[in-house]
Amino acid sequence: MSEIVRLQLIGLGVMGLGILALLFIRGTFIRVTGFVTIILGLFTLVSLSIPQMASLPPVEEKFDIATVKTPTDLAAIGQKVFFSKGQCALCHTIGPSESARCPDLKGIGAKLSREFLYESLTQPQAYIYQDYRVEGMAKEYPATMPYINKNPIGLSRNEILAVIAFLQQMSGEPISIAVSELAAPEQAPAVPVQKAAESVPVAVAQVH
């Protein structure tokens, strides 16, 4: 007998005794309190009967540069990173979706250059938009995109290039990242130094 079944039987026994006790109690307040307690206990028993699923951490993807022979190989790794370690699919979709919380990335590789994509991933606050949808003076509209090269995501440079290759391939564009651009693992820091992000000037774009 499992622990959950044992708890359910104990709960049923306690509720049964409670119902019998309520039959002999005349006080209204105690009867109402006992009734509410029994209902709450019933809900608890129902919740215990729902099958539980273990929430395991995502499997860590290993980026083996030795397996990358062509840009297509790089894009395949980028696709894995996009849907796993990169956590991109938590907010973005590839194609229209009512549940999307952030811009649809379908065709993004054809709209934006690789340099702009890299900057958007590693320095999302480089551009501060001005939102003219509000009345009066336009308000700054900073990006809510997290730094993908810093914790807790912490993608390496190779992994970021792989994601860009995937976005380009997914958009039907030729992959502009050569395999020779990949750095050996010991040369690709997971988290670039802070100074690199701070040294880039902030630009302002306008959204109409």
Side-chain angles (χ1 to χ4, degrees):
M1 181 183 298
S2 67
E3 184 177 352
I4 293 179
V5 174
R6 192 180 299 113
L7 289 174
Q8 288 175 325
L9 292 176
I10 294 174
L12 285 173
V14 172
M15 284 195 296
L17 293 175
I19 293 173
L20 289 176
L22 288 179
L23 295 176
F24 299 99
I25 294 176
R26 297 298 180 186
T28 304
F29 177 76
I30 297 177
R31 287 173 65 90
V32 171
T33 302
F35 178 76
V36 171
T37 303
I38 290 173
I39 294 298
L40 292 177
L42 182 61
F43 277 111
T44 302
L45 290 179
V46 171
S47 65
L48 288 175
S49 64
I50 298 175
Q52 303 296 311
M53 296 181 63
S55 180
L56 301 176
V59 178
E60 184 177 353
E61 297 286 348
K62 293 185 178 179
F63 188 96
D64 186 3
I65 192 173
T67 63
V68 180
K69 304 298 182 184
T70 65
T72 303
D73 296 338
L74 185 63
I77 293 176
Q79 183 176 9
K80 292 180 181 179
V81 175
F82 183 94
F83 289 102
S84 57
K85 182 181 177 181
Q87 305 179 29
C88 312
L90 292 179
C91 300
H92 294 283
T93 60
I94 300 177
S97 174
E98 295 181 356
S99 60
R101 296 185 295 172
C102 295
D104 175 13
L105 297 184
K106 184 177 182 179
I108 197 72
K111 298 175 184 176
L112 303 176
S113 67
R114 55 172 285 183
E115 291 78 13
F116 191 92
L117 287 173
Y118 190 89
E119 183 181 66
S120 299
L121 293 171
T122 58
Q123 301 163 23
Q125 302 299 328
Y127 279 84
I128 298 177
Y129 293 88
Q130 289 187 340
D131 191 352
Y132 288 92
R133 292 172 298 182
V134 298
E135 295 182 358
M137 294 294 292
K139 296 182 178 179
E140 291 187 349
Y141 191 67
T144 56
M145 174 82 181
Y147 290 89
I148 202 168
N149 58 329
K150 298 179 181 179
N151 290 327
I153 300 176
L155 294 189
S156 66
R157 179 179 179 274
N158 285 346
E159 291 169 330
I160 294 173
L161 292 178
V163 170
I164 294 174
F166 165 64
L167 294 176
Q168 291 178 332
Q169 185 186 60
M170 175 266 298
S171 304
E173 289 293 304
I175 299 173
S176 63
I177 299 173
V179 177
S180 58
E181 295 182 55
L182 301 178
E186 62 273 11
Q187 298 174 353
V191 181
V193 294
Q194 182 69 22
K195 292 181 179 178
E198 294 176 348
S199 62
V200 176
V202 174
V204 177
Q206 297 178 351
V207 175
H208 296 279

